[in-house]
Amino acid sequence: MNVIIGNKLKKLRKSKDMSQEQVADYLHLSQSAYARIERGESSSWASYANKICELFKITPEELVTNDIRQDEETTNDLNETLIINQLSDKVVEQYEARIKELKKTIKDLKRKRKP
């Protein structure tokens, strides 16, 4: 969870074009303490959740759930892509098999035509 929140905080900070030091100052933390939160090495973000939400104008729910939803969407997208690729491969295999059959039929017909 700390890594998820840390990544979320990093994205939010960058989207606001803020430095770690600016966010740390707002939260009354050292820059290094805030950096540990962003790296997921500290769970102290929970103590600052309300101030973080205030700074980035998000709800506490958005702070802890948005990335989880994005991960689910990414997983769904990857699964859909995998299924599409598998179906495409299957269609290609079927066409290749049909082409082989037709080539054999043409070869047989040419043989039958020869006197």
Side-chain angles (χ1 to χ4, degrees):
M1 182 66 143
N2 291 336
V3 173
I4 292 171
I5 299 299
N7 288 334
K8 175 73 173 192
L9 290 174
K10 186 175 184 177
K11 288 177 190 174
L12 288 167
R13 175 178 59 79
K14 287 186 174 195
S15 74
K16 297 280 187 188
D17 200 27
M18 295 178 75
S19 68
Q20 285 184 341
E21 189 171 357
Q22 289 172 311
V23 176
D25 286 346
Y26 183 84
L27 299 175
H28 304 290
L29 290 170
S30 68
Q31 184 274 329
S32 62
Y34 180 75
R36 283 191 299 279
I37 292 172
E38 274 194 8
R39 288 193 305 267
E41 297 171 357
S42 171
S43 60
S44 64
W45 63 267
S47 302
Y48 300 94
N50 288 334
K51 288 205 62 108
I52 289 168
C53 292
E54 182 181 294
L55 174 64
F56 295 117
K57 296 177 179 33
I58 60 171
T59 65
E61 292 79 17
E62 289 173 311
L63 178 63
V64 297
T65 60
N66 196 26
D67 279 336
I68 293 168
R69 287 187 198 131
Q70 286 177 352
D71 288 345
E72 288 173 359
E73 289 172 12
T74 300
T75 300
N76 288 341
D77 289 346
L78 290 173
N79 286 338
E80 287 174 9
T81 301
L82 179 62
I83 290 169
I84 290 169
N85 287 341
Q86 289 172 341
L87 289 173
S88 296
D89 289 345
K90 195 69 169 168
V91 168
V92 169
E93 285 175 26
Q94 289 174 347
Y95 275 111
E96 287 174 343
R98 182 68 179 137
I99 289 168
K100 263 186 180 177
E101 290 172 16
L102 290 171
K103 283 182 177 181
K104 185 180 181 292
T105 302
I106 291 168
K107 194 175 185 180
D108 291 344
L109 287 171
K110 283 182 177 180
R111 246 186 277 150
K112 287 181 183 177
R113 251 183 38 186
K114 288 186 180 177

